[in-house]
Amino acid sequence: MNVPQPTLRCEGAHTDNIWCVEWCQGDLITGSLDGTMKVWSVSENISPKFTSSEQKVGVSSIAAVQDGSLAAVCYQDSVIRLFDLINKTESAVIDPGLFEAYSICFSPADDVLVSGNNRGGINVWTMQEEHEKVATLETSNKQILSTAFSIDGKLACAGIDGMVNVFDMNTQQIVQKLEAHSLPVRSIAFSPEDDLLYTASDDRHCNVYDMKTGHLINSFSHNGMAYSVDTSPDGRHFAVGCADNTVSYLSLIHI
């Protein structure tokens, strides 16, 4: 079997583990345990455009708005720093308290930022100038490890106890509750048409759910713990990254 080789490669991009990557208007954003966020130009080579000031704790997650003007960076001490990517400056800080932020994402309209906390809740901040916390959504479950918005504005969150909750953000009520996995769910993703939900778990499975019924459509087993999942833009394939250093590229044709 031919093993695909990287188109571009950057050695020593950070001085410690890179925990998160995010595409942003053609640029690549990376966050590392070295306490920095970096923005990279990706063309004929990978070159740095902006490096944030180093913090004493590492970066746990990153989110960017659709027009590429702003990135939110969540650190291991739960502090969220907002960076103006046009002027290459830190523009605001959200400090919700220890363990109150881990996995962050923006809504489809980029008007709110959400994060999971260690109590099984979701904190919601407005993206207006004051960045006020406007809600905390409770799940009655344990620590939230992953969050994802659908295009139509539903919010899915998954946690350390294997449960997945889906909120209607208009009513702020849970509309679906899935006993998805027996071990932590590290990553969730909606399909481009919002009709499917993907979950990746430490139990070495990636599950696919019908969002209309909440029923499990299929489950794909892996040799290592499934840490990350995302779908292709056409919705026909999805990729799963695992703890055994493999990436699986899977087809939905047979679902």
Side-chain angles (χ1 to χ4, degrees):
M1 182 179 67
N2 293 325
V3 179
Q5 297 299 311
T7 304
L8 299 171
R9 188 180 184 93
C10 179
E11 300 288 350
H14 287 269
T15 59
D16 207 333
N17 296 345
I18 298 171
W19 271 25
C20 42
V21 296
E22 178 91 357
W23 285 108
C24 180
Q25 288 292 307
D27 291 333
L28 184 66
I29 307 177
T30 57
S32 169
L33 290 185
D34 66 11
T36 65
M37 176 272 293
K38 294 186 178 184
V39 181
W40 306 83
S41 174
V42 181
S43 52
E44 295 181 356
N45 55 32
I46 303 176
S47 57
K49 295 178 66 175
F50 171 55
T51 300
S52 68
S53 59
E54 185 175 338
Q55 302 298 315
K56 294 180 180 179
V57 294
V59 175
S60 62
S61 59
I62 290 174
V65 298
Q66 294 185 50
D67 67 5
S69 63
L70 183 78
V73 182
C74 184
Y75 295 82
Q76 290 180 317
D77 58 2
S78 296
V79 173
I80 300 170
R81 300 180 184 276
L82 303 179
F83 291 92
D84 179 333
L85 299 183
I86 305 300
N87 297 308
K88 300 180 180 179
T89 59
E90 182 178 306
S91 59
V93 176
I94 300 173
D95 188 356
L98 195 60
F99 306 126
E100 286 297 313
Y102 183 77
S103 173
I104 59 175
C105 66
F106 284 106
S107 62
D110 292 327
D111 56 345
V112 298
L113 175 70
V114 305
S115 76
N117 64 35
N118 74 324
R119 296 176 288 100
I122 300 290
N123 294 320
V124 184
W125 290 275
T126 176
M127 288 309 293
Q128 295 178 2
E129 187 175 353
E130 68 275 13
H131 303 302
E132 178 186 1
K133 186 167 79 168
V134 294
T136 297
L137 313 179
E138 301 295 346
T139 68
S140 75
N141 295 116
K142 296 182 179 179
Q143 180 180 359
I144 302 301
L145 300 178
S146 183
T147 57
F149 271 102
S150 65
I151 298 299
D152 64 4
K154 290 186 175 65
L155 173 64
C157 61
I160 201 168
D161 55 5
M163 296 293 299
V164 173
N165 292 274
V166 180
F167 286 89
D168 181 331
M169 292 300 288
N170 291 322
T171 64
Q172 298 187 1
Q173 298 297 312
I174 295 174
V175 292
Q176 285 179 323
K177 200 176 189 74
L178 309 174
E179 295 182 6
H181 296 271
S182 59
L183 291 175
V185 178
R186 303 284 177 178
S187 179
I188 52 177
F190 284 96
S191 64
E193 300 298 323
D194 290 340
D195 55 339
L196 301 175
L197 181 69
Y198 302 81
T199 62
S201 170
D202 286 7
D203 67 8
R204 302 185 180 188
H205 285 80
C206 177
N207 291 348
V208 185
Y209 293 89
D210 184 325
M211 286 305 298
K212 291 183 179 179
T213 65
H215 293 160
L216 178 67
I217 296 176
N218 212 329
S219 183
F220 297 83
S221 62
H222 301 270
N223 292 328
M225 292 183 288
Y227 279 169
S228 184
V229 61
D230 202 4
T231 62
S232 61
D234 63 8
R236 299 180 60 190
H237 302 85
F238 64 100
V240 183
C242 296
D244 63 353
N245 301 331
T246 63
V247 174
S248 300
Y249 185 62
L250 302 162
S251 172
L252 297 180
I253 294 174
H254 301 299
I255 288 182

